Amino acid sequence: MILAQGTSTDIVSIANAPLLWILALAVLGVIVLQSAVYMKAVRKNAAGADMTQREVFQAFRAGGVAAIGPSLAVVLVAIALLPLFGTPSILVRIGLIGSAATETASASIAAGTVGANLGDSTYTQSVFLIALFAMSLSGACWMISTLILTPILARGQDKLTKVNPALMAIVPSAALLAAFSGLTVTEFPKSAIHILAVLVSATIMAICLFVARRLDQAWLREWALGFSIIGGLIATYIATN
Amino acid sequence: MSTYTPEQDALFAAYTRTTNNWGRITLFAGFLIATSVPFIVLATTDLGITMGQVITAFIAVAAVYGAFYVVEPLTYFPILGPAGMYQAFLIGNIANKLVPSAIVAQSTIDAKPGTRKAAYAATAAISGAAVVHVFSLLLLVGILGTWIVSIMPESVTEVARLYILPSILGGVVVQLVATLKQARSTVIAIVVALVVVFLVVPNTPKLVSSFAIALCVILTVAISWFTRHIGSGSSSDEEQTEGSLIN
């Protein structure tokens, strides 16, 4: 498909507009505001659960420390994606609901509907905007669904969490496995280098998970995706240079 | 469950009211801001994309993730409770960051799962994780990100740009397979993917191949569902026990 306008592949020039920066900061601000309100609610009402102020702080700190590893892994992926989407969009998409993997997959699927591939010469400004729309609308559905479902579930907690457990056990995981298998196999016909990237990344992940389990190193499980991505990129760099 | 005094019940009710009200307000605010981003790019540039293209792209993405819009909140609600839901679906990274943080915090202060104390600990822990999340993104991606990309030689960024997707996907697939532990669905998913990508896509019109991933999902879910009684189905039991860890 040929796009009349927006055929430049200079994504960063439109993706770094000042207004987008303001929105990105606002989104991070909303997260901080929510956490502050929640922490205040916990501290003020701690006695309602036989909890001391010291225990409230300990829980806060433990949660923060446990999140350092996964956060750095997310940062690593976010930085690698910067040239594709620009800083503000990355902060909004990765900062809010959505993980690096989900967003990359969504963008790739969206680009595919106009016959383009992320990162190559078909990835024009127009394709970037279409991908950004698809990612944003998809994320919006997640949030709307949560806003609608949470009060309903809170009212009928016991009943509704037991809706057909067999279906709930099969559908989400089968859908996830299918989506990522499909996306991965789609990379294979592109070039031998793409296959190399997939294989090296998969191998490093397998080794990390194996070592993590054998030697009981939980941190390695959190860092594994970061190592896999770097390994895949190093292998493709060596193969192409 | 231990018994609480009426004063304690009043405090817990106040906590529930505050977190529910503010949870909804902040999640809705996050939704509004994030969703406005592409519309603002559309309004401030002249890229000539059509509504049809946007809708087609969204349908293709929704075909893959549509089930999750509903299934994920349903799945996580028993784990997180209402307060945690509004945190988790604002911040994301639920399974790899927020839920592990909450579990670590509960074991740190020895809060028994299912108690009010455990719910409070989860809320405090997710707040702590949120602060680390925002700080790391702001500093390392927002402020230093472009600089980190800029000090990288052109050849490095070029390789990263071209091969980031396969480099992510290889690891994610292995992690998924290892985490979900569903051998039958895994085999079905891989076979379906190979058939769709190498047989269906090259032999069908563009319209069909645009929805290749959705086709993979629908076929895999259908085959997994209709063959569910073949082989063992013990994984659902594991999910159940893990699902009740926090609240």
Side-chain angles (χ1 to χ4, degrees):
Chain A
M1 185 175 292
I2 294 155
L3 297 161
Q5 293 134 307
T7 49
S8 162
T9 54
D10 182 14
I11 306 300
V12 172
S13 69
I14 59 163
N16 277 328
L19 188 56
L20 295 186
W21 273 99
I22 293 169
L23 291 176
L25 292 178
V27 154
L28 296 179
V30 169
I31 296 178
V32 171
L33 172 71
Q34 188 193 55
S35 298
V37 171
Y38 270 44
M39 271 314 285
K40 201 178 160 214
V42 172
R43 286 175 56 189
K44 205 171 140 197
N45 303 300
D50 290 325
M51 198 170 178
T52 64
Q53 292 300 325
R54 186 176 147 71
E55 283 175 325
V56 172
F57 176 72
Q58 279 181 322
F60 176 81
R61 195 190 52 195
V65 171
I68 291 175
S71 291
L72 288 180
V74 169
V75 161
L76 201 67
V77 181
I79 287 176
L81 291 172
L82 281 180
L84 284 180
F85 303 109
T87 313
S89 307
I90 287 289
L91 287 177
V92 173
R93 299 303 339 145
I94 310 282
L96 281 195
I97 176 77
S99 64
T102 309
E103 300 299 336
T104 315
S106 301
S108 175
I109 294 165
T113 63
V114 286
N117 293 303
L118 292 188
D120 70 13
S121 61
T122 61
Y123 185 61
T124 62
Q125 291 178 342
S126 296
V127 178
F128 158 75
L129 183 52
I130 291 168
L132 189 62
F133 257 111
M135 288 191 282
S136 304
L137 295 177
S138 181
C141 288
W142 245 297
M143 291 177 166
I144 291 170
S145 170
T146 303
L147 282 167
I148 294 170
L149 287 172
T150 303
I152 298 172
L153 289 170
R155 273 198 292 272
Q157 230 181 75
D158 297 333
K159 261 190 208 167
L160 274 160
T161 47
K162 284 175 186 157
V163 222
N164 202 345
L167 191 67
M168 297 269 289
I170 286 178
V171 174
S173 46
L176 259 187
L177 286 165
F180 282 93
S181 301
L183 286 166
T184 307
V185 175
T186 306
E187 296 296 303
F188 289 175
K190 288 182 183 169
S191 78
I193 309 289
H194 285 83
I195 298 175
L196 177 75
V198 170
L199 293 181
V200 170
S201 170
T203 307
I204 292 173
M205 175 62 77
I207 293 169
C208 286
L209 293 181
F210 179 77
V211 173
R213 188 183 306 171
R214 269 298 158 88
L215 304 179
D216 202 21
Q217 302 289 313
W219 67 272
L220 194 56
R221 205 167 293 128
E222 290 160 4
W223 282 87
L225 187 57
F227 290 148
S228 300
I229 294 164
I230 289 185
L233 291 177
I234 289 173
T236 54
Y237 185 83
I238 293 168
T240 52
N241 285 276
Chain B
M1 280 281 184
S2 57
T3 47
Y4 298 101
T5 63
E7 289 79 22
Q8 285 185 310
D9 284 338
L11 286 175
F12 187 68
Y15 160 82
T16 307
R17 212 168 35 244
T18 308
T19 50
N20 280 351
N21 290 342
W22 280 91
R24 293 181 68 79
I25 292 169
T26 45
L27 182 55
F28 189 71
F31 152 76
L32 278 185
I33 300 168
T35 311
S36 72
V37 169
F39 289 96
I40 284 167
V41 175
L42 182 70
T44 53
T45 54
D46 182 24
L47 294 180
I49 67 163
T50 66
M51 225 46 221
Q53 289 173 320
V54 169
I55 291 167
T56 308
F58 170 65
I59 290 173
V61 173
V64 174
Y65 292 105
F68 290 96
Y69 304 154
V70 178
V71 170
E72 270 206 343
L74 285 175
T75 311
Y76 282 113
F77 183 85
I79 306 176
L80 294 165
M85 286 289 282
Y86 297 122
Q87 289 181 296
F89 284 85
L90 181 66
I91 301 163
N93 296 289
I94 301 168
N96 66 344
K97 193 189 286 189
L98 302 187
V99 174
S101 290
I103 294 171
V104 168
Q106 289 174 346
S107 71
T108 303
I109 64 161
D110 208 15
K112 233 172 102 196
T115 60
R116 285 181 186 174
K117 196 170 168 180
Y120 278 26
T123 301
I126 293 176
S127 300
V131 170
V132 171
H133 173 76
V134 168
F135 182 77
S136 64
L137 280 177
L138 209 53
L139 180 70
L140 297 175
V141 180
I143 297 170
L144 298 177
T146 357
W147 173 73
I148 294 171
V149 172
S150 76
I151 56 163
M152 281 198 247
E154 180 90 15
S155 57
V156 174
T157 39
E158 190 66 10
V159 163
R161 201 168 61 87
L162 280 173
Y163 302 112
I164 183 71
L165 190 60
S167 298
I168 293 175
L169 288 173
V172 169
V173 166
V174 172
Q175 197 170 38
L176 265 183
V177 170
T179 310
L180 296 174
K181 294 193 186 72
Q182 299 202 340
R184 196 168 38 82
S185 291
T186 302
V187 172
I188 295 168
I190 291 169
V191 171
V192 166
L194 289 169
V195 169
V196 168
V197 172
F198 288 103
L199 292 177
V200 178
V201 171
N203 297 306
T204 49
K206 189 92 196 67
L207 186 68
V208 177
S209 52
S210 294
F211 289 92
I213 304 300
L215 197 61
C216 289
V217 171
I218 293 164
L219 287 175
T220 304
V221 167
I223 297 171
S224 297
W225 175 247
F226 288 115
T227 61
R228 67 188 181 280
H229 297 303
I230 304 164
S232 69
S234 61
S235 57
S236 61
D237 296 338
E238 285 165 29
E239 273 172 37
Q240 288 296 346
T241 41
E242 191 145 282
S244 56
L245 275 176
I246 291 191
N247 271 331

